[in-house]
Amino acid sequence: MEEALGVNVDTIEKIYNTVAEFLVNYSFQVLGAIIILILGWIFARWLSKLIVRFCDGKKVDVTLAKFIGSCTYLLILACFVIIALGKFGISVAPFVAAVGALTLGAGLALQGPVSNYGAGFIIILTRPFVVGNTISVAGISGVVEEVKLGMTLMRTEDDELIVVPNRHLIGEVLYNSFENKIVEGTVGIAYGSDTDMVIETLTQRLQEMDCVAATPKLKIGIEDFGENGIIIGLRYWVPAKNYFSHKYAVNAVVYRTLQEENVSIPFPQREVRMVQ
């Protein structure tokens, strides 16, 4: 019991002597390193916020402004950490080399995510679309809800959230119809109908609908001549968030208008003759 107690006392004494010796030799270095880290943290936060406010004043995209501010914060803080390590006599050269090798390995392992961030940076800089625009790319269409560095979030009319990695938006043919989306429809009328009256009446009725955008202007005209009748083409723009509901409402108005004007909609007919 006494021997074990003696061993514990010796161990505690050695630890105490080691700590005391460390504090005597490196107390000022530790204090200086702590002060440097605190000053570095304060300065990094101040400079980061200053850059974000400056970008906001220059009407820079919010996501890009925050990204630049975060990069500035990390860069300044890293510089102060290296300075603090130097207070202990630690050489930063091997540390920098290790960080470089680690960064290279991480870059090779994370090519997909890194390319997404690079593409997101390009999107924010060039601004081919912004929040609220309706875009179509690679067979996917929706309203842009949020643009992040790694991905773009889109929302469909069915309230489905589509997450598109940004690398799929760069280098592809991208259609941007902004807030509205075009609807292209047709309706057939019988040969002999007054096409001028039909076009004028449909144009007036559609212009009275709130869901049909005033700009760009709708276009209605003769699109083709079918086997059974004249094909009237309709091109108009509606808010993309309710694309299908607006399209169906316009189709109903077109049908009722033709009925009210006694314009017949032809249908395929076949005449069969019996030869005796």
Side-chain angles (χ1 to χ4, degrees), residues 228 266-270:
N228 304 295
F267 52 88
Q269 300 183 39
R270 179 170 297 178

Side-chain angles (χ1 to χ4, degrees), residues 6-266:
V7 171
N8 291 335
V9 171
D10 292 339
T11 304
I12 294 173
E13 186 176 356
K14 289 180 180 179
I15 294 174
Y16 172 78
N17 293 333
T18 303
V19 172
E21 183 179 357
F22 177 81
L23 291 176
V24 169
N25 295 329
Y26 297 101
S27 58
F28 289 104
Q29 287 88 336
V30 171
L31 182 61
I34 293 174
I35 294 174
I36 289 173
L37 288 176
I38 294 174
L39 292 177
W41 176 68
I42 295 174
F43 179 70
R45 287 192 61 186
W46 173 80
L47 187 60
S48 174
K49 292 180 179 179
L50 181 65
I51 290 176
V52 171
R53 286 198 300 268
F54 176 79
C55 292
D56 290 340
K58 295 297 182 179
K59 305 300 182 183
V60 178
D61 187 88
V62 176
T63 306
L64 179 59
K66 290 182 178 179
F67 175 74
I68 296 175
S70 299
C71 290
T72 303
Y73 173 80
L74 293 176
L75 182 62
I76 297 298
L77 192 60
C79 292
F80 276 87
V81 169
I82 293 175
I83 295 174
L85 291 175
K87 299 295 292 183
F88 294 100
I90 300 175
S91 177
V92 298
F95 177 74
V96 173
V99 170
L102 183 62
T103 304
L104 178 61
L108 293 175
L110 301 173
Q111 289 183 1
V114 170
S115 63
N116 285 330
Y117 281 100
F121 188 76
I122 294 174
I123 290 172
I124 294 171
L125 271 181
T126 59
R127 298 172 67 87
F129 55 85
V130 296
V131 174
N133 287 170
T134 301
I135 63 173
S136 300
V137 60
I140 300 173
S141 180
V143 179
V144 178
E145 191 170 84
E146 186 177 359
V147 181
K148 296 184 177 181
L149 280 176
M151 67 194 73
T152 296
L153 306 181
M154 298 192 304
R155 184 78 61 174
T156 66
E157 183 178 351
D158 299 326
D159 205 29
E160 296 175 332
L161 182 65
I162 303 176
V163 180
V164 183
N166 283 333
R167 70 176 184 271
H168 295 299
L169 299 176
I170 297 296
E172 297 287 343
V173 179
L174 187 145
Y175 298 89
N176 187 353
S177 54
F178 301 95
E179 294 183 2
N180 300 319
K181 187 176 181 180
I182 189 171
V183 181
E184 296 180 304
T186 59
V187 61
I189 61 175
Y191 282 108
S193 302
D194 188 349
T195 55
D196 292 338
M197 181 274 295
V198 171
I199 293 173
E200 183 180 352
T201 304
L202 290 179
T203 301
Q204 182 179 356
R205 294 292 178 86
L206 266 63
Q207 286 177 342
E208 293 173 354
M209 299 184 67
D210 295 334
C211 63
V212 177
T215 305
K217 292 184 177 180
L218 63 91
K219 297 179 178 64
I220 301 178
I222 298 175
E223 182 168 316
D224 201 358
F225 300 93
E227 296 181 358
N228 304 295
I230 302 173
I231 308 301
I232 301 296
L234 302 93
R235 301 181 81 250
Y236 54 93
W237 283 257
V238 298
K241 290 183 177 180
N242 302 102
Y243 174 83
F244 288 103
S245 59
H246 294 327
K247 177 181 178 180
Y248 299 155
V250 170
N251 287 343
V253 169
V254 170
Y255 180 69
R256 286 197 301 268
T257 301
L258 295 179
Q259 281 189 321
E260 293 171 0
E261 299 297 333
N262 296 319
V263 177
S264 61
I265 300 176

